[in-house]
């Protein structure tokens, strides 16, 4: 039997992240546009007019592109939905990810490939079979165990359940990133408290805060100690990825469309290396430890394996923000590029840089690149420090623009 290639799917919330995903080794990327996606509030979404450029970049790099239209849709959203789907059809986006039946129906009418979003909470083989008349891929609910996932994949093969393309239905699962305390992310806390619907991409993340418990009769209050009781740690399957693959799933998805290019590149690269290591029988504990160390350098709330191993309760974070071992501090922006000698120039807008500092550059063309400043050329001369107003130059292979940003990487453990 021909072995199906596992697809590594990475999140993209900006052009920097798009290039970072490509550089990291993604097979496919997913992104949202304007307000009809589940990250509409937390990220500056792409515009409809960006679809052409996104697809052009993806096709030039042999990477598939999927667009998320996975919010609850209201009647007043239909015109924007129509406009987006026209662009999707025109520029041959590889698939739409959706759960609302209005989107599902329109995609079928337009013969646009469709993936059923995790928002549909697909948790059994009967539901997979129901959606097979509309789609080719189903993203399963995040609350399932690996045993349940494996059963669904096995039943697809046994029953020969085919999607609209005529091929067997494919199963997609999340392997890394933020988890929500609500089943498949369908939460109403934000709607009740702020009139901002999480199911329309406007979540205010009430669950990530500390809470008091108050006795209604005595008014005595208790602060929940050490745990953000509605804020789970992040999903991380790098240490059980071989077990995930044994279920027979086809697509492995990284969460994080609101994260930066450093997160996208690091998570994509680590899981790319892990998949390759499993394929060539070099997946070892030492490598897993190294991947975990690298994954810990970018945004995270701590790690656990989610519900895949049969945990009945979530593991809660004790940190309101990121537990990353490194943080990036903005210091400047691109000012000029010298293509004949491949040298980049940045102007320092805040803080300072010294020789030995690790720098990170993010941009449309480079994605995310980290480099150690062994020496420092400031205003054309060697110097021991660059401060606000200075211009620094260094060799850099990729063109930079005024939109590119320069950061200094700081170790958070020894702060």
């Amino acid at each position: 039997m021909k072995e199906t290639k596992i697809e590594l799917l990475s999140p993209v919330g900006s052009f920097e992240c798009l290039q970072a995903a490509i550089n990291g080794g993604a097979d496919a990327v997913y992104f949202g546009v304007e307000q009809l996606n589940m990250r509409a509030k937390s990220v500056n979404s792409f515009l409809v007019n960006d679809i052409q450029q996104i697809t052009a970049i993806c096709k030039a790099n042999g990477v598939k592109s999927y667009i998320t239209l996975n919010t609850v849709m209201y009647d007043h959203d239909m015109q924007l939905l129509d406009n987006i789907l026209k662009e999707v059809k025109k520029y041959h986006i590889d698939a739409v990810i959706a759960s609302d039946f209005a989107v599902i129906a329109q995609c079928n009418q337009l013969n646009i490939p469709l993936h059923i979003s995790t928002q549909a909470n697909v948790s059994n083989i009967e539901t997979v079979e129901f959606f097979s008349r509309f789609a080719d891929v189903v993203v399963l609910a995040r609350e399932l165990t690996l045993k349940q996932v494996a059963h669904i994949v096995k039943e697809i093969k046994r029953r020969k359940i085919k999607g609209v393309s005529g091929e067997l239905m494919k199963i997609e699962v999340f392997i890394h990133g933020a988890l929500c305390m609500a089943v498949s992310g369908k939460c109403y806390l934000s709607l009740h408290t702020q009139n901002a619907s999480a199911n329309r991409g406007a979540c205010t993340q009430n669950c990530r805060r500390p809470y008091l418990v108050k006795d209604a009769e005595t008014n005595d209050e208790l602060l929940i100690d050490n745990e953000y009781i509605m804020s789970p740690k992040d999903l991380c399957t790098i240490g059980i990825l071989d077990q995930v693959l044994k279920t027979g799933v086809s697509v492995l998805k990284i969460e994080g469309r609101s994260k930066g290019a450093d997160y996208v590149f690091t998570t994509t690269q680590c899981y790319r290396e892990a998949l390759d290591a499993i394929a060539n029988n070099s997946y070892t504990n030492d490598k897993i430890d190294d991947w975990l160390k690298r994954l810990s350098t970018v945004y995270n709330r701590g790690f656990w394996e989610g519900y895949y191993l049969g945990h009945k309760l979530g593991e809660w974070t004790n940190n309101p923000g990121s537990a990353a071992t490194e943080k990036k501090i903005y210091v400047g922006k691109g000012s000029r590029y010298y293509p004949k000698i491949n040298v980049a120039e940045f102007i320092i807008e805040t803080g300072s840089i010294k020789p030995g500092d690790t720098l990170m550059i993010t941009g449309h063309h480079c994605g995310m690149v980290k480099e150690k400043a062994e020496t420092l050329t400031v205003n054309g001369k060697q110097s021991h420090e660059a401060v606000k107003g200075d211009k620094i130059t260094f060799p850099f292979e990729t063109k930079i623009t005024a939109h590119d940003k320069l950061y200094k990487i700081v170790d958070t453990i020894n702060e």
Side-chain angles (χ1 to χ4, degrees):
M1 180 183 295
K2 183 180 178 182
E3 188 172 334
T4 303
K5 185 182 186 301
I6 302 299
E7 182 175 284
L8 180 60
L9 177 58
S10 295
V12 167
S14 66
F15 282 106
E16 291 88 347
C17 290
L18 174 57
Q19 192 60 51
I22 292 168
N23 294 348
D27 298 305
V29 298
Y30 66 105
F31 66 97
V33 294
E34 310 209 15
Q35 70 263 37
L36 301 186
N37 74 94
M38 295 300 289
R39 295 295 182 271
K41 181 179 185 296
S42 59
V43 67
N44 293 322
S45 295
F46 290 111
L47 302 176
V48 175
N49 292 339
D50 292 324
I51 291 175
Q52 180 180 7
Q53 186 178 353
I54 293 168
T55 54
I57 292 171
C58 288
K59 291 181 189 306
N61 288 276
V63 170
K64 291 181 180 179
S65 58
Y66 305 137
I67 189 169
T68 58
L69 290 167
N70 56 351
T71 59
V72 171
M73 299 284 172
Y74 291 161
D75 283 326
H76 65 253
D77 295 320
M78 292 302 105
Q79 183 173 350
L80 177 57
L81 175 62
D82 289 342
N83 292 339
I84 293 172
L85 289 180
K86 285 178 183 176
E87 297 296 293
V88 166
K89 183 75 173 179
K90 180 178 179 180
Y91 295 109
H92 306 289
I93 289 284
D94 290 286
V96 167
I97 302 172
S99 58
D100 193 294
F101 282 98
V103 186
I104 292 172
Q106 288 206 39
C107 285
N108 274 244
Q109 290 169 8
L110 295 170
N111 292 316
I112 294 173
L114 181 71
H115 297 179
I116 301 300
S117 170
T118 191
Q119 296 296 121
N121 190 29
V122 178
S123 304
N124 59 75
I125 188 61
E126 302 299 337
T127 308
V128 172
E129 187 160 21
F130 170 80
F131 279 119
S132 67
R133 70 194 73 179
F134 308 108
D136 286 307
V137 178
V138 168
V139 189
L140 293 182
R142 303 187 198 189
E143 295 76 31
L144 299 183
T145 65
L146 291 181
K147 184 177 180 180
Q148 290 172 309
V149 174
H151 173 74
I152 289 172
V153 175
K154 182 180 178 181
E155 283 298 294
I156 288 173
K157 295 176 180 176
R158 188 183 72 83
R159 301 189 189 188
K160 296 182 174 59
I161 300 174
K162 297 180 179 179
V164 293
S165 69
E167 300 291 327
L168 286 177
M169 287 290 289
K170 293 181 179 179
I171 293 300
E172 177 180 317
V173 295
F174 280 89
I175 56 168
H176 193 91
L179 285 174
C180 179
M181 60 117 181
V183 175
S184 286
K186 292 196 287 289
C187 179
Y188 300 94
L189 277 176
S190 180
L191 180 65
H192 287 317
T193 61
Q194 304 288 335
N195 196 30
S197 175
N199 303 298
R200 285 179 55 78
C203 182
T204 56
Q205 297 205 334
N206 303 46
C207 60
R208 306 297 185 186
R209 304 169 191 163
Y211 279 86
L212 293 169
V213 176
K214 187 173 183 178
D215 188 316
E217 294 183 8
T218 66
N219 288 327
D220 288 339
E221 293 182 346
L222 297 173
L223 177 65
I224 303 301
D225 189 28
N226 295 329
E227 286 190 347
Y228 287 71
I229 58 170
M230 294 184 288
S231 181
K233 290 181 179 179
D234 287 357
L235 173 66
C236 178
T237 65
I238 202 82
I240 61 167
L241 196 62
D242 55 341
Q243 297 180 56
V244 175
L245 295 188
K246 286 178 182 177
T247 64
V249 296
S250 300
V251 184
L252 304 179
K253 187 174 197 172
I254 298 169
E255 184 278 338
R257 281 182 290 126
S258 62
K259 306 295 197 308
D262 53 333
Y263 172 93
V264 174
F265 176 80
T266 302
T267 54
T268 301
Q269 186 183 58
C270 286
Y271 280 95
R272 175 82 278 150
E273 291 175 8
L275 284 171
D276 293 344
I278 293 171
N280 61 32
N281 296 315
S282 63
Y283 180 75
T284 63
N285 287 333
D286 286 343
K287 287 187 176 181
I288 291 171
D289 289 342
D290 178 64
W291 293 320
L292 281 170
K293 183 177 179 181
R294 287 156 57 189
L295 289 169
S296 296
T297 65
V298 294
Y299 193 100
N300 71 87
R301 297 184 179 90
F303 296 133
W304 69 308
E305 299 90 357
Y307 298 96
Y308 286 139
L309 300 183
H311 294 295
K312 297 300 181 184
L313 291 173
E315 290 191 18
W316 311 112
T317 183
N318 58 8
N319 193 321
S322 176
T325 58
E326 293 180 356
K327 70 177 180 180
K328 58 182 186 284
I329 299 174
Y330 176 78
V331 290
K333 66 179 181 180
S335 58
R336 191 173 179 182
Y337 187 70
Y338 301 89
K340 291 183 179 180
I341 55 174
N342 293 333
V343 166
E345 179 183 270
F346 285 82
I347 185 167
I348 306 301
E349 294 191 319
T350 183
S352 65
I353 296 172
K354 296 180 179 179
D357 286 342
T358 298
L359 305 179
M360 184 179 84
I361 301 98
T362 64
H364 287 203
H365 299 291
C366 70
M368 187 286 291
V369 176
K370 280 185 183 179
E371 291 194 355
K372 192 168 186 178
E374 300 291 354
T375 60
L376 202 58
T377 303
V378 182
N379 302 324
K381 298 178 181 180
Q382 291 292 305
S383 178
H384 67 282
E385 187 177 24
V387 297
K388 183 178 179 180
D390 286 339
K391 291 182 178 180
I392 66 169
T393 52
F394 49 85
F396 199 64
E397 293 298 319
T398 307
K399 177 185 177 182
I400 63 116
T401 71
H403 297 290
D404 289 20
K405 296 180 176 64
L406 180 68
Y407 299 88
K408 180 168 65 174
I409 301 298
V410 176
D411 187 341
T412 61
I413 296 176
N414 298 318
E415 280 193 311

